[in-house]
Amino acid sequence: MPEINSFSKEDLCDLSIIELRKLLQKQEISFSAIIKSVENRINDKEKTINGYISLFIEQATEQAKNLDQNRKDLDKLPWLTGIPIAIKDNICVKDALTTCGSKILSNFVSPYDATVTKRLKDNGAIIIGKTNLDEFAMGSSSEMSFYGPVSNPHNSELVPGGSSGGSAAVVSYGGAFAALGSDTGGSVRQPAALCGVAGIKPTYGRVSRYGLVAFASSLDQIGQIGKTVKDCAILLSVVGGLDEHDSTSVNESMAGILDFESDIKNLRIGIPKEYFVEGLDPGVEKAVRNMIKTITQHCACVKEVSLPNTQYAIAAYYLICTAEISSNLARYDAVKYGYRSKDANNLRELYEKTREEGFGQEVKRRIILGAYGLSKGYYEEYYGTAQKVRTLIRNDFDQVFKEVDVLLTPTSPTVAFRKGEKISDPLTMYLSDIYTVPVSLAGLPAMSIPCKDKHKNLPVGLQIIGRPFDEKTVLNVANWLEQQ
Amino acid sequence: MSKFEPVIGLEVHVQLKTQSKLFCSCAVEYGAEPNSNVCPICLGLPGVLPVLNNRAVELAIKLGLALNCQITEYSRFARKHYFYPDLPKGYQITQYQEPLARNGYVEVKNNRIRINRIILEEDSGKSMHCGNETLIDFNRCSVPLVEIVTEPDIRSPEQSIDYLQYLRQILQYLEVSDADMEKGHFRCEPNISVRMAGEKFGTRTELKNLNSLRNVRDALEFEVKRQSEILNSGGKVVQETLFWDEAKMETGSMRGKEESEDYRYFPEPDLPPLLIFKDEIEKLMKEFPVLPEKRKEYFVKELGLPEADAKILVSEKSVADYYEAVLKYLPEPKLVANWIITEVGAILNEKKIAINELSIPPQNIAELLLMIKKSEITGKVAKEVFTEMVETKEEPDKIVAKKGVGLIDDENLLNSTIDEVLKTNPEVVDKYKKGKTTVFGFLVGEVMKKTKGKFLPQKVNEALTKKL
């Protein structure tokens, strides 16, 4: 079979998974050609973008070679066979470094696969590399990594968003066909928006967290980033579903996630008014409202709704997530694995120096905040109250979902911002998550897709929020909008 | 000194008798090679999650019922944070505000001791300090424990020991735990203060590092004395944690003790709430075995067994069950009890097996004992038959027939044999007739030898006496 290094005018690495699969089915390309195309693109872009921490090009090439030599009928092979997928570096891949973008895990080689990794491998995917991120997934710009910041492929002076900035960037520039990220307060949706790709955060409990290095246990979910909505859906259908290793994973049917046949015109669309207030860049608002106009012309019911407790979401989120962070990061103590300070002379110094030297500023900031919020005398006031507010926020959504089926909002209040712009003021940085955080608190599924219009020539993201475990409707609406 | 009354509360940590650990499938195995029963989960590697061992929950519920507790229908796990090398996650998964069981009691020697709570939690690893190094073995990490906390209802060191022995017996009887203090299955931490009777509670101290019941008693006696002396001289007891120095026989302050720790408890987000349904509890209560004290009472009062024998029989549930099973076929409590305690007990000891491994159906024992009762075999023969039953698992009557050791009831044979013996030993008969009654035994022996023990000794005695 002829080795094809490029196909038509486009490089293979710019195609979607579905397009690629068609070519493979027609035997018009080889698996090795796919890897070669991605490899060339990575070599071209990585110096500027810095989206990857680890790359497995050699193994990928070997795997592709095997697939080519033992070429079987593709219809008999699973969906992701031979497709290079990237995995965020806070998700464990066996025998590979899993650094979480941190010095404290810079030498940690995981002895086990995360459930999602295993499911990708079982589905034939080729793991091409581990992507860069804000340290321990804490951040909204991917500037807080021990391995240096990630750049936005649309303009390398800008951030790609975070914390899954690496995953969004490599999908955006063609360094992988799709990627897994993690989303705790917006870390898949916001970088997807800023990089102009699609990204979905599933319902809490939909995708197993076993092997995802924990940040905020009650909020974390592994999200899927792809060039198209359908690509994201394919990835979700492979990794999602009940896992006995994760006691918080839920036994909800995955049926219908790949079903895009139903017409959306009878769906009721809600536009929450609290998401269109001061702080939202007018250019972003314009692009989002145009998308809403498009859907208004098709769907019978598009109306304004209210989520009155939205204003408390950021505060509640940061109280809850910092508490859980301070707990989840207690295990990094230099005893069993990871970085160990050389200057320690006793146990106490071992802990103090290792953690002082091994963690970055933002991580330390959140650990201290979290420990404070959980401390004697403050627990009820901070963590306790935040959890109650969380229930109120969830109730807002439950109420609204009695009248509508999905909500449309901007994903991020701005387009991609300059590197260094927000880094000195954590609170400003935290506000970038203002539209994504309430959804995380409520545990709902939500997706970001690029609007048709750009602003300042940069991508703008539209967020689609659905009922618990109703990824199907979210994906359908997103897909319809994408097709217009 | 005697004007001060001790006020004691006991906190006991018990290792549950499960195959696997509390949150992963690693084996629970005493004495295994260090760090051989570990996995990413119990080592607290990045990204792992706990999965609850339901058997541990069952055992904890069983214990709760035995201690007359309310079983909480909705309980939660919590994280308890502190830094120490043998605690891999930097927190222990335990229970805090919502324990699995609460508000129970036990009655020990007519005193009621209230149980505040029973908590299910994971154990930590073991640290061994060797000179400059500390070695850590994570085999014990995440092994299931229950923590049983009493109210401060105990009023003497002696009473503490009674309670601990009672608790241990229940744990072993219900097979909730082997409760072997030497293996660390059963760890006790008393809280003790003293007061003038009727006054409010004084300041208490907590004692650690007590690894035998004797140590518990000695440490408590020492503390009572120490605190009483302080109060007598007008001083104040300091609230602190003390360790027991076995060599010096005194309590000492734990070195480097800091201000009381803030464990920053919060509900464990990786585990859903534990729901224990009413009908599950009711089902368990229906199947609940009679506890050893009550069962012993029954053996003594209803079956008429001596206290000591009853105590032995109820030491293990399987032994008491076996005993009662044999009784069903042969309702002779004392006879059966004796046989089980002496003969069966001896075999179990010799072969180092448990009664369940004996594989002799209870009715076979009953049959054997019935044969003794009906004088079909002698006691001595019965022991031989029993030994063979253990080896071959055959029924006793088959063995008796095979070996031909059954007693016979043939008057004529007996009389003719006696005649023969008397004829061949005229000097002995003479001696007897002259008053030397001791030779009677020799004559009996001769008859037994000739008849190969097929006659009951009493019968031989009677017949021989008649003839002489």
Side-chain angles (χ1 to χ4, degrees):
Chain A
M1 156 183 11
E3 274 267 331
I4 305 167
N5 284 331
S6 63
F7 184 82
S8 304
K9 288 174 248 159
E10 304 165 307
D11 272 356
L12 287 176
C13 57
D14 289 323
L15 297 176
S16 73
I17 295 176
I18 292 186
E19 287 167 338
L20 202 60
R21 177 107 173 155
K22 277 203 190 85
L23 292 179
L24 282 167
Q25 254 153 349
K26 291 196 277 189
Q27 306 227 10
E28 292 181 34
I29 54 166
S30 68
F31 290 104
S32 304
I34 301 174
I35 303 300
K36 202 67 199 165
S37 169
V38 166
E39 183 188 353
N40 288 341
R41 185 61 60 87
I42 289 174
N43 288 337
D44 187 28
K45 295 279 183 179
E46 264 300 291
K47 266 187 291 299
T48 325
I49 306 294
N50 195 29
Y52 279 109
I53 293 177
S54 299
L55 277 166
F56 313 130
I57 305 283
E58 253 181 66
Q59 292 104 299
T61 307
E62 198 53 43
Q63 286 173 268
K65 197 161 124 201
N66 281 331
L67 284 169
D68 282 330
Q69 283 171 351
N70 303 312
R71 190 89 192 214
K72 286 199 202 55
D73 189 358
L74 195 69
D75 285 336
K76 297 201 169 70
L77 293 174
W79 252 114
L80 296 177
T81 305
I83 312 285
I85 308 284
I87 297 185
K88 188 174 179 183
D89 209 18
N90 63 351
I91 297 172
C92 289
V93 172
K94 186 162 184 241
D95 301 331
L97 279 177
T98 296
T99 69
C100 300
S102 178
K103 180 175 182 176
I104 217 168
L105 285 181
S106 50
N107 63 357
F108 175 69
V109 174
S110 175
Y112 74 103
D113 272 331
T115 297
V116 294
T117 305
K118 182 167 186 304
R119 288 178 180 182
L120 282 179
K121 287 181 179 176
D122 288 347
N123 204 275
I126 293 183
I127 314 296
I128 190 97
K130 307 294 293 296
T131 59
N132 205 350
L133 65 161
D134 281 306
E135 189 181 356
F136 280 105
M138 298 180 207
S140 310
S141 63
S142 301
E143 296 173 275
M144 317 284 210
S145 168
F146 178 61
Y147 297 92
V150 181
S151 306
N152 193 316
H154 293 267
N155 178 337
S156 60
E157 288 170 30
L158 307 181
V159 303
S163 60
S164 310
S167 285
V170 304
V171 171
S172 169
Y173 81 61
F177 285 88
L180 293 181
S182 70
D183 190 313
T184 306
S187 290
V188 156
R189 293 161 284 158
Q190 187 251 24
L194 269 49
C195 288
V197 292
I200 181 168
K201 180 199 85 68
T203 315
Y204 183 84
R206 174 64 92 180
V207 178
S208 169
R209 291 185 296 117
Y210 183 72
L212 168 65
V213 180
F215 158 173
S217 315
S218 72
L219 295 159
D220 289 343
Q221 265 295 278
I222 292 180
Q224 295 72 45
I225 297 175
K227 294 177 189 135
T228 65
V229 172
K230 283 188 178 167
D231 280 2
C232 290
I234 291 171
L235 215 59
L236 176 59
S237 73
V238 168
V239 301
L242 182 70
D243 180 22
E244 60 176 10
H245 291 116
D246 177 355
S247 305
T248 61
S249 81
V250 176
N251 190 13
E252 281 281 337
S253 167
M254 294 280 289
I257 289 204
L258 293 180
D259 172 14
F260 289 94
E261 299 310 303
S262 27
D263 189 357
I264 64 160
K265 73 166 175 263
N266 290 320
L267 290 178
R268 299 160 299 169
I269 315 290
I271 314 293
K273 65 179 192 211
E274 288 82 3
Y275 287 55
F276 291 87
V277 295
E278 190 188 322
L280 175 59
D281 183 326
V284 169
E285 180 168 1
K286 187 150 166 270
V288 168
R289 288 227 183 257
N290 276 342
M291 295 292 273
I292 294 174
K293 206 192 295 179
T294 307
I295 208 167
T296 310
Q297 288 156 2
H298 184 82
C299 290
C301 171
V302 179
K303 64 193 228 183
E304 188 182 80
V305 295
S306 173
L307 298 167
N309 290 295
T310 302
Q311 57 182 309
Y312 306 116
I314 292 269
Y317 172 78
Y318 277 97
L319 283 170
I320 293 170
C321 84
T322 52
E324 294 181 7
I325 286 165
S326 74
S327 175
N328 286 323
L329 268 59
R331 66 190 66 192
Y332 304 111
D333 58 7
V335 172
K336 309 165 294 295
Y337 51 79
Y339 171 77
R340 182 186 275 201
S341 170
K342 295 185 186 47
D343 300 324
N345 293 315
N346 55 50
L347 185 63
R348 196 181 171 109
E349 284 186 11
L350 181 72
Y351 292 147
E352 289 180 355
K353 293 197 176 194
T354 296
R355 289 164 72 84
E356 165 66 37
E357 294 159 22
F359 286 137
Q361 278 300 95
E362 182 61 29
V363 170
K364 285 189 275 206
R365 179 179 292 127
R366 295 197 192 192
I367 291 174
I368 293 173
L369 275 174
Y372 185 79
L374 287 179
S375 59
K376 227 185 270 192
Y378 293 105
Y379 173 86
E380 259 319 305
E381 198 180 323
Y382 292 130
Y383 188 77
T385 307
Q387 289 284 36
K388 291 179 186 162
V389 171
R390 183 177 187 170
T391 307
L392 293 179
I393 290 172
R394 169 67 183 244
N395 288 345
D396 278 359
F397 281 104
D398 287 344
Q399 279 298 109
V400 146
F401 280 127
K402 289 186 181 145
E403 307 165 25
V404 299
D405 304 305
V406 287
L407 300 169
L408 296 183
T409 79
T411 307
S412 162
T414 65
V415 290
F417 45 90
R418 297 205 95 73
K419 286 186 203 158
E421 188 179 303
K422 301 197 186 191
I423 214 167
S424 46
D425 183 0
L427 288 181
T428 310
M429 189 70 90
Y430 295 169
L431 285 170
S432 346
D433 297 331
I434 199 162
Y435 301 136
T436 50
V437 150
V439 178
S440 303
L441 286 172
L444 301 171
M447 177 151 212
S448 178
I449 56 168
C451 296
K452 293 298 161 204
D453 303 319
K454 290 207 167 119
H455 174 54
K456 297 195 260 185
N457 212 23
L458 293 167
V460 176
L462 170 76
Q463 180 175 231
I464 302 145
I465 307 167
R467 291 193 183 89
F469 299 103
D470 194 12
E471 283 83 358
K472 177 172 146 77
T473 305
V474 169
L475 289 162
N476 265 302
V477 170
N479 181 57
W480 186 90
L481 281 166
E482 189 188 68
Q483 303 297 320
Q484 301 316 302
Chain B
M1 214 90 68
S2 55
K3 69 180 180 185
F4 287 113
E5 165 187 74
V7 173
I8 299 170
L10 294 175
E11 203 176 287
V12 181
H13 284 92
V14 171
Q15 192 178 105
L16 293 178
K17 192 171 173 162
T18 55
Q19 305 254 41
S20 354
K21 293 185 176 184
L22 188 54
F23 296 117
C24 62
S25 53
C26 288
V28 177
E29 206 189 322
Y30 183 76
E33 196 63 27
N35 294 312
S36 59
N37 288 325
V38 292
C39 73
I41 299 171
C42 52
L43 285 175
L45 293 194
V48 297
L49 296 170
V51 179
L52 185 59
N53 178 343
N54 286 321
R55 179 88 185 121
V57 178
E58 266 173 46
L59 294 179
I61 296 175
K62 241 172 135 176
L63 179 64
L65 292 176
L67 302 185
N68 302 298
C69 294
Q70 291 163 12
I71 307 297
T72 314
E73 283 176 41
Y74 176 102
S75 69
R76 293 213 64 169
F77 288 97
R79 293 187 183 180
K80 175 181 180 181
H81 302 83
Y82 61 93
F83 285 96
Y84 202 65
D86 64 19
L87 191 68
K89 297 189 292 292
Y91 60 84
Q92 175 199 31
I93 301 180
T94 173
Q95 293 186 303
Y96 184 54
Q97 287 180 326
E98 293 136 317
L100 187 135
R102 54 178 123 200
N103 299 336
Y105 64 89
V106 295
E107 304 247 1
V108 183
K109 296 199 175 150
N110 294 319
N111 285 314
R112 178 171 282 214
I113 296 165
R114 291 169 300 160
I115 306 289
N116 177 287
R117 63 183 183 273
I118 298 178
I119 276 177
L120 184 57
E121 61 182 23
E122 56 177 351
D123 207 345
S124 62
K126 246 202 289 221
S127 303
M128 277 157 277
H129 305 287
C130 319
N132 264 342
E133 291 181 328
T134 300
L135 304 173
I136 306 177
D137 178 10
F138 289 106
N139 280 348
R140 199 186 67 181
C141 197
S142 243
V143 162
L145 297 178
V146 281
E147 178 189 88
I148 306 154
V149 181
T150 71
E151 300 287 4
D153 289 348
I154 299 173
R155 293 286 172 268
S156 71
E158 202 53 50
Q159 204 181 36
S160 308
I161 305 302
D162 291 338
Y163 166 78
L164 292 171
Q165 284 174 329
Y166 178 79
L167 182 62
R168 214 166 56 169
Q169 180 192 46
I170 290 203
L171 289 166
Q172 289 167 342
Y173 191 81
L174 294 176
E175 295 183 283
V176 165
S177 168
D178 288 336
D180 185 337
M181 270 184 107
E182 270 170 39
K183 293 190 178 161
H185 296 158
F186 189 86
R187 322 202 277 256
C188 177
E189 282 165 15
N191 279 287
I192 175 170
S193 65
V194 297
R195 64 168 182 183
M196 303 264 272
E199 292 204 352
K200 67 181 174 87
F201 289 165
T203 310
R204 60 171 185 202
T205 58
E206 188 185 352
L207 307 180
K208 281 191 189 285
N209 192 38
L210 300 166
N211 51 20
S212 71
L213 290 186
R214 206 174 91 230
N215 280 348
V216 172
R217 194 193 55 228
D218 290 344
L220 286 173
E221 280 172 1
F222 179 87
E223 259 309 278
V224 173
K225 208 156 148 248
R226 185 186 77 88
Q227 289 190 19
S228 301
E229 278 169 7
I230 292 176
L231 293 181
N232 259 334
S233 60
K236 277 202 168 102
V237 174
V238 176
Q239 177 173 349
E240 55 183 338
T241 302
L242 302 169
F243 70 93
W244 175 246
D245 189 328
E246 199 175 340
K248 292 197 191 141
M249 291 282 278
E250 59 185 33
T251 57
S253 216
M254 293 192 85
R255 233 164 281 134
K257 189 77 184 82
E258 303 172 18
E259 327 86 50
S260 77
E261 290 239 33
D262 178 1
Y263 295 113
R264 299 190 302 282
Y265 287 101
F266 77 101
E268 169 60 78
D270 289 333
L271 291 170
L274 185 58
L275 300 175
I276 302 173
F277 298 108
K278 260 207 171 69
D279 55 2
E280 272 177 63
I281 301 177
E282 274 164 22
K283 183 160 162 280
L284 277 172
M285 284 181 86
K286 274 212 195 81
E287 301 168 352
F288 210 71
V290 178
L291 292 180
E293 274 307 309
K294 277 238 142 53
R295 207 164 183 185
K296 189 173 78 149
E297 227 178 271
Y298 168 72
F299 286 171
V300 170
K301 289 209 174 99
E302 307 297 320
L303 301 184
L305 293 184
E307 172 98 17
D309 286 2
K311 199 159 170 205
I312 297 176
L313 289 173
V314 301
S315 63
E316 274 175 57
K317 182 169 175 294
S318 46
V319 172
D321 287 346
Y322 194 86
Y323 171 65
E324 290 201 63
V326 176
L327 278 189
K328 275 209 179 69
Y329 296 99
L330 179 66
E332 301 270 341
K334 290 214 174 87
L335 179 63
V336 177
N338 272 333
W339 191 265
I340 301 229
I341 293 172
T342 49
E343 301 308 320
V344 177
I347 295 282
L348 297 183
N349 263 335
E350 183 194 313
K351 290 184 180 287
K352 293 200 197 314
I353 55 176
I355 204 163
N356 313 337
E357 298 167 281
L358 197 58
S359 312
I360 297 182
Q363 68 217 80
N364 287 12
I365 303 269
E367 237 181 79
L368 181 67
L369 296 179
L370 191 58
M371 289 175 93
I372 300 178
K373 189 161 188 263
K374 292 208 280 198
S375 299
E376 288 173 21
I377 50 174
T378 63
K380 181 157 165 280
V381 166
K383 290 187 188 164
E384 288 165 24
V385 174
F386 180 62
T387 309
E388 189 149 335
M389 278 165 74
V390 173
E391 299 303 325
T392 65
K393 321 280 182 222
E394 268 186 286
E395 282 136 30
D397 55 353
K398 292 207 172 66
I399 297 175
V400 168
K402 203 171 59 180
K403 284 171 97 108
V405 289
L407 290 175
I408 48 184
D409 203 9
D410 191 345
E411 288 262 0
N412 294 330
L413 180 58
L414 179 59
N415 283 328
S416 59
T417 314
I418 291 179
D419 289 339
E420 230 185 283
V421 169
L422 294 180
K423 220 192 274 182
T424 44
N425 296 284
E427 339 76 47
V428 183
V429 178
D430 222 32
K431 278 197 184 135
Y432 181 78
K433 293 233 160 104
K434 289 213 170 102
K436 207 162 189 200
T437 48
T438 47
V439 302
F440 187 78
F442 170 77
L443 292 170
V444 172
E446 288 297 299
V447 177
M448 298 288 278
K449 244 195 294 187
K450 271 204 141 60
T451 58
K452 300 204 180 80
K454 281 206 177 22
F455 288 98
L456 261 181
Q458 288 109 286
K459 279 240 152 82
V460 175
N461 276 4
E462 277 168 32
L464 189 58
T465 313
K466 252 201 251 173
K467 288 253 171 187
L468 285 172

